[in-house]
Amino acid sequence: MLRVRNALILFMSCLAIGGILAGCGNASTSSKEVKTTKQVAASEQESSVQSSSTKEDESKSESTDESTDGDMESGNITDLRTVGQSIDDEDYGIITLINTFNGDTTKEHGKTTVSFNDFQVLKFEPKDKDQRDFSDFEHVGQKYYVLRFKMNVKNNDTKKLLVQGLSEIDINSTSADQSLQVEDDGATDADAEISVNPGVTKSVVIEVLLTESQVQSLNKISLTIGEIDNKSYDTETEESDPINIPLD
């Protein structure tokens, strides 16, 4: 009987020890599972932060690229207001404002008042043969320079007058090689007729082709206004004396 009781006690002790060991094992496994879950969560959070950071960097990079691409704007000559500013014109190529001059001048000529203003030097850089051929001037190269200004004619008479543009243009005392009168409908020679109704002021743009050396030394221009005719082409006023305009 005593042996049976001792065996029973031994059996119960073994069961108790087994239970304790199993509990420790489960606790260890649970601890490992919790630790692993936390590590996974931390890893996912870190990955999310890195992904967000990468997207921000890509967004900044795209923004920078867009800003760089936008440095050269499309437009036309009238958009140029600041020296060094350039535009990409679909017909003429790259146009850059090289210089501006204060040469505002007014002259009474017969029954008209003629004024000149907005003197600019522009550099044209055609990008291909088509743009070179489109130039208003003949035989231009990869780049060429133009002096551009406005001529404003006010008719003080009671009848229409026909002003024969500019009959002579001298750059630094040298006769201009090529000069044009430019309006919305195209370009003609600088001495082309300007028809002005009574009491009206008509403006045209004058363009003069310059050499590179003239650009560097440009300091004055001399303009001679053409004769004035009536609508029957009878001359009412002869051409003017040369008007010397310092450019500074």
Side-chain angles (χ1 to χ4, degrees):
M1 185 68 179
L2 180 59
R3 288 180 179 177
V4 172
R5 187 174 61 183
N6 289 340
L8 182 61
I9 291 172
L10 179 61
F11 176 73
M12 294 298 293
S13 297
C14 288
L15 287 178
I17 292 170
I20 292 171
L21 291 175
C24 290
N26 290 339
S28 176
T29 301
S30 176
S31 175
K32 288 180 180 177
E33 288 177 352
V34 170
K35 184 177 180 181
T36 302
T37 302
K38 288 182 179 179
Q39 288 175 338
V40 170
S43 177
E44 289 177 349
Q45 184 177 6
E46 182 179 355
S47 176
S48 175
V49 170
Q50 290 177 346
S51 176
S52 176
S53 176
T54 301
K55 288 180 180 179
E56 287 182 6
D57 291 341
E58 289 176 353
S59 176
K60 288 179 182 178
S61 177
E62 289 175 0
S63 176
T64 302
D65 291 343
E66 288 175 1
S67 175
T68 301
D69 292 342
D71 287 345
M72 183 63 68
E73 299 178 353
S74 298
N76 55 56
I77 292 176
T78 58
D79 297 325
L80 296 173
R81 295 296 177 187
T82 305
V83 172
Q85 181 183 359
S86 298
I87 55 112
D88 188 352
D89 186 279
E90 63 179 357
D91 295 322
Y92 295 99
I94 306 300
I95 308 174
T96 304
L97 179 58
I98 299 298
N99 208 348
T100 60
F101 297 99
N102 178 20
D104 295 7
T105 301
T106 300
K107 172 75 174 179
E108 298 297 325
H109 180 50
K111 294 183 179 180
T112 67
T113 302
V114 182
S115 62
F116 304 96
N117 64 302
D118 288 352
F119 289 84
Q120 299 176 321
V121 175
L122 303 167
K123 178 173 70 173
F124 289 73
E125 296 176 282
K127 293 182 287 186
D128 53 42
K129 185 179 183 298
D130 289 341
Q131 290 184 340
R132 289 196 299 274
D133 292 343
F134 193 84
S135 172
D136 297 322
F137 296 98
E138 297 178 351
H139 311 303
V140 298
Q142 298 294 334
K143 67 178 178 180
Y144 59 98
Y145 298 88
V146 172
L147 173 64
R148 178 183 172 94
F149 59 92
K150 286 184 181 179
M151 176 180 179
N152 315 289
V153 181
K154 181 181 179 182
N155 184 353
N156 301 317
D157 205 347
T158 57
K159 59 182 181 294
K160 178 187 285 188
L161 295 175
L162 309 174
V163 181
Q164 303 304 315
L166 293 174
S167 58
E168 185 67 29
I169 300 176
D170 291 344
I171 302 294
N172 292 346
S173 301
T174 301
S175 181
D177 181 39
Q178 296 186 56
S179 56
L180 300 170
Q181 186 184 126
V182 182
E183 295 187 77
D184 292 337
D185 57 353
T188 58
D189 292 335
D191 60 358
E193 176 184 290
I194 304 171
S195 177
V196 192
N197 289 320
V200 173
T201 298
K202 185 168 185 179
S203 298
V204 298
V205 171
I206 304 296
E207 292 187 347
V208 184
L209 187 65
L210 301 175
T211 64
E212 192 161 355
S213 61
Q214 286 175 325
V215 172
Q216 302 300 325
S217 61
L218 184 61
N219 56 33
K220 65 180 179 179
I221 184 172
S222 177
L223 305 174
T224 302
I225 305 171
E227 64 182 26
I228 300 176
D229 301 333
N230 58 33
K231 63 181 181 180
S232 300
Y233 287 93
D234 297 323
T235 300
E236 297 201 356
T237 305
E238 298 294 337
E239 69 178 22
S240 73
D241 292 329
I243 305 167
N244 296 311
I245 303 174
L247 299 176
D248 51 34

